[in-house]
Amino acid sequence: MLQIKRLSECTLEEAVRAWNAGFEGYYFPIQLTLESFLHRLVGEGLSPSLSIIAFHHEEPVGIVLNGVRECKGTSMAWNGGTGVVPAFRKTGIGKALMEATLDIYQQAGVELATLEAISENERAIALYKKFGYEIVDELEYLQFPESVPRLDTKPFQVETTVPQRVSHLPFYKGGHPWQTQWQSVKEGEALLVKDEQGGDIGYAYYRRVFDEAGKHEKTILFQCEAHPARDDAEPILRFLLTNVFGTCSDEVVKVVVNIPVTHSSPTYSLLKEIGFQTTVKQVWMQKRMR
């Protein structure tokens, strides 16, 4: 008999077991320890009371991690991972998990449900479409393996701050994919580009990752935008990218997370021009709940 419980009603060991078994054989390894599972929940704003685990005879066989937050006045939900144990795939568990998830969203007053799916995962995409999700854009993870060349750009005034500061900007991309929103960038840094009067005309936020010895291992860019009304939007973006990546050595991995391809600013085209390579392609899906 299938039983679906809230993650808050389960043990952490059951949750980790459900996650690791549910994503066995996935497109890339995402096996988690107890510590990294907790880090994912907290870091990405996922809620144990909104997430669910499916059990078959007391054994966890499926999981969905969910989070809800306000984005530009809209209550947005994110499905941060749906996994089913291989032996139970094609048995209706994925359908049952999606039904339960959408019921939870309704109860929580969610207005917009969102998720991402690997572009090649046609089975998952078809399931989400059956429940009313539509593809609204394509997303890519980008990576650059060498030192980023210093881009020709004019100098701008710049302020170093925290990612939360960008949320008040009228051109902040608050509706972009969940993992690129400022709330998901724990321990991040931000840059605000200023005009001659001190007004904000561009921003970028990112996180630098260090190993246990303090060595800089990775820089992850989440958003980089210029005010759309500016004639010098491209120089602003070049200036920002130079300041984010320009001092990173060859050994530092440079990553851009889930950047929209068709509805992005010129940032995507500029990153590709620089030489950033696509490592993962996803579709961004949304369902209007009300």
Side-chain angles (χ1 to χ4, degrees), residues 5-246:
K5 298 181 182 180
R6 304 286 179 117
L7 193 155
S8 54
E9 302 172 318
C10 307
T11 68
L12 283 172
E13 288 78 8
E14 288 172 329
V16 173
R17 197 157 76 244
W19 177 272
N20 288 337
F23 283 95
E24 184 179 326
Y26 197 58
Y27 292 85
F28 45 84
I30 49 174
Q31 299 294 289
L32 300 176
T33 63
L34 179 62
E35 290 74 17
S36 57
F37 182 83
L38 285 170
H39 187 268
R40 181 180 177 90
L41 285 180
V42 175
E44 296 187 344
L46 296 164
S47 169
S49 63
L50 301 177
S51 302
I52 53 176
I53 299 177
F55 288 83
H56 180 74
H57 296 309
E58 306 302 322
E59 180 64 22
V61 295
I63 188 170
V64 181
L65 297 182
N66 292 305
V68 176
R69 65 171 57 136
E70 290 291 321
C71 297
K72 293 283 189 178
T74 297
S75 177
M76 175 188 287
W78 181 55
N79 176 335
T82 299
V84 176
V85 173
F88 288 85
R89 291 169 188 167
K90 302 182 184 179
T91 64
I93 290 179
K95 180 175 180 290
L97 286 169
M98 287 305 300
E99 288 173 344
T101 289
L102 292 176
D103 284 343
I104 290 171
Y105 290 173
Q106 289 283 5
Q107 295 167 24
V110 168
E111 298 170 90
L112 183 68
T114 71
L115 56 81
E116 300 93 40
I118 298 295
S119 298
E120 295 90 346
N121 196 348
E122 296 179 359
R123 188 183 304 277
I125 294 170
L127 173 66
Y128 299 139
K129 285 182 175 180
K130 285 182 180 179
F131 282 91
Y133 284 84
E134 298 179 346
I135 295 173
V136 296
D137 208 336
E138 297 177 351
L139 307 173
E140 292 186 8
Y141 273 71
L142 304 178
Q143 186 168 317
F144 196 79
E146 305 169 0
S147 293
V148 174
R150 192 159 189 88
L151 305 174
D152 292 331
T153 181
K154 67 179 183 180
F156 290 93
Q157 295 179 353
V158 63
E159 176 187 350
T160 301
T161 183
V162 294
Q164 185 176 358
R165 280 282 306 281
V166 310
S167 62
H168 74 281
L169 299 176
F171 58 101
Y172 165 59
K173 302 292 187 179
H176 268 207
W178 182 280
Q179 290 170 300
T180 73
Q181 296 168 8
W182 72 263
Q183 299 97 319
S184 295
V185 188
K186 303 295 190 293
E187 300 178 354
E189 305 169 62
L191 300 173
L192 288 174
V193 177
K194 308 284 188 175
D195 62 15
E196 293 80 3
Q197 290 75 42
D200 297 315
I201 57 174
Y203 71 87
Y205 53 89
Y206 56 98
R207 182 170 66 240
R208 292 184 293 171
V209 179
F210 300 86
D211 65 16
E212 293 181 356
K215 181 181 179 182
H216 187 186
E217 288 187 317
K218 183 185 296 186
T219 291
I220 307 169
L221 177 66
F222 296 90
Q223 287 196 26
C224 179
E225 300 291 335
H227 196 298
R230 297 285 301 194
D231 294 334
D232 55 352
E234 184 172 325
I236 292 170
L237 294 175
R238 288 177 176 271
F239 176 82
L240 285 165
L241 292 174
T242 294
N243 279 270
V244 172
F245 292 119

